[in-house]
Amino acid sequence: MKKIKFIAILMLVSLTLPAVSQECNKEVSKNRRTRVNANQLKGDLLKVVQLDIRRKVWLWNEKYNATAAFIHPRVLITAGHNLTDRFDPVSKIRITVGFTTNNSYLKQRDVYTEMNKNIYVLPSYRENPTYEDDFGIIILPDSSLYKSAGGHFVLTPYIPSRPPKALFLSGYPDPVTGIKLWTDKTTNFFYTPDLLRYDFFTVEGSSGSPVYTGMNQLVAIHTGGFDEQNVCNIGTPITAKMKSQISQWCRRHGIILQ
C-alpha cells in the first residue's frame, strides 16, 4: 500500500524536476557513510530522531519509517510527504531518540496526531505535491524527548551564492534489517533553481533527514531519492519563506523559533 502511494507522489513531483547534469556516484557514497553505534551518540546525531508512522487506513493501520530533526525543544521538522493526508491521515507517530539498534535507544514516545492540530503541511503541497513545498513539522506535547537530545538545529536559509564547504546528512535509512542511524559528509552538492542536489546515499526511511552544515545550521530536508546510481538525490532547501511559515505554525502553540 505504502509503495503504491509513494510512487504516486513521486510521479507527481517528478513533473517539476529540472533537467540538470548529474555528477553523483551513489555506490561510492553508500560505502562512504558511517553507521553510528550507541557509544558514538553525541552532538548533532542526538538531534536526529526516528519516526514510526501509522496512517489510519480502513480496517488496518499502515506503518512506515522516516526521519526528523529537532528545531526547537517541542518541534520536529521532516518531509511533507511523511505527514500529508493526501491519501490517508496520519493517526500516530512513535518518536525515538538515539535509536541505534532495535533494542537500543535513549527515549521513545507515542504521539497521536491530527492535521493542523499538532502536525502541519502546506495546503498547496497537499493539493499539488512539489519538492519545493515538501516539508512539514510535528509539535510535541512537551520537551521530555528533547531532554535526551540535548540540543536542536537552527533553521538557516540556504544561500546559493555562499554555499558551505561541506554538507552532512544523518538519518534512519534501513529499518527493515534493524533500526540503524547512519551519517555522512559530502562536498559533492550543487544548487538548481529551488532545489539542492547531492550524492548522499539514501533509501526508504531517509525521508525527512536533516541536511546540515556542522555549524548547527539545518539548511535542507532530504525529500527525494532515486534508484539510478548516477542521479543525484534531492533536498528541499530551507528558505526565508519556509522559515516564516514554520514560525507561524509554531506561534499557534506559543512557540517562538530561534
Side-chain angles (χ1 to χ4, degrees), residues 5-255:
K5 293 176 181 177
F6 180 77
I7 291 171
I9 291 176
L10 189 59
M11 289 177 65
L12 284 168
V13 295
S14 65
L15 296 176
T16 66
L17 187 63
V20 294
S21 60
Q22 308 300 327
E23 298 294 339
C24 294
N25 185 331
K26 285 180 287 190
E27 188 61 34
V28 172
S29 56
K30 180 179 181 179
N31 296 323
R32 184 186 64 207
R33 62 183 182 149
T34 303
R35 181 178 174 180
V36 179
N37 297 316
N39 60 2
Q40 297 172 312
L41 281 172
K42 61 181 179 179
D44 290 336
L45 296 174
L46 284 170
K47 305 169 190 175
V48 185
V49 303
Q50 194 267 346
L51 304 180
D52 179 345
I53 302 174
R54 303 296 179 97
R55 289 189 182 274
K56 187 183 296 183
V57 185
W58 188 62
L59 293 183
W60 73 88
N61 280 339
E62 180 189 14
K63 172 184 174 181
Y64 59 99
N65 295 278
T67 304
F70 279 102
I71 55 174
H72 180 275
R74 287 185 54 210
V75 185
L76 298 172
I77 190 169
T78 188
H81 66 257
N82 291 334
L83 305 177
T84 183
D85 56 357
R86 180 176 175 84
F87 297 102
D88 300 299
V90 173
S91 59
K92 185 176 77 171
I93 303 177
R94 175 167 291 177
I95 304 166
T96 309
V97 181
F99 211 160
T100 51
T101 72
N102 280 344
N103 301 311
S104 177
Y105 58 86
L106 299 178
K107 188 75 173 180
Q108 190 173 81
R109 182 170 185 176
D110 289 349
V111 175
Y112 288 91
T113 60
E114 184 178 347
M115 185 62 68
N116 296 323
K117 296 294 184 180
N118 60 350
I119 56 174
Y120 294 88
V121 175
L122 281 176
S124 59
Y125 180 81
R126 294 160 67 193
E127 296 170 4
N128 181 32
T130 65
Y131 283 113
E132 292 82 355
D133 290 341
D134 194 353
F135 66 93
I137 64 168
I138 303 165
I139 303 292
L140 301 175
D142 54 47
S143 59
S144 58
L145 282 170
Y146 180 76
K147 292 178 181 178
S148 295
H152 61 82
F153 292 107
V154 176
L155 282 185
T156 306
Y158 185 87
I159 302 176
S161 61
R162 288 184 291 169
K165 293 182 179 179
L167 289 175
F168 297 80
L169 181 144
S170 301
Y172 291 89
D174 191 15
V176 176
T177 57
I179 300 300
K180 301 172 184 177
L181 175 60
W182 294 83
T183 188
D184 194 10
K185 175 183 178 180
T186 189
T187 57
N188 186 12
F189 61 91
F190 58 97
Y191 183 83
T192 64
D194 303 320
L195 295 174
L196 191 61
R197 309 298 297 271
Y198 39 65
D199 70 343
F200 288 125
F201 178 82
T202 61
V203 297
E204 186 176 344
S206 298
S207 291
S209 296
V211 181
Y212 54 99
T213 65
M215 301 294 289
N216 204 38
Q217 300 170 322
L218 193 158
V219 296
I221 310 154
H222 173 69
T223 51
F226 305 96
D227 291 335
E228 296 85 349
Q229 288 298 327
N230 66 330
V231 177
C232 299
N233 287 335
I234 289 177
T236 298
I238 306 301
T239 64
K241 182 178 180 181
M242 180 196 300
K243 186 172 182 178
S244 176
Q245 176 62 74
I246 292 174
S247 296
Q248 179 180 325
W249 286 330
C250 289
R251 283 196 295 270
R252 298 182 189 179
H253 299 264
I255 295 171

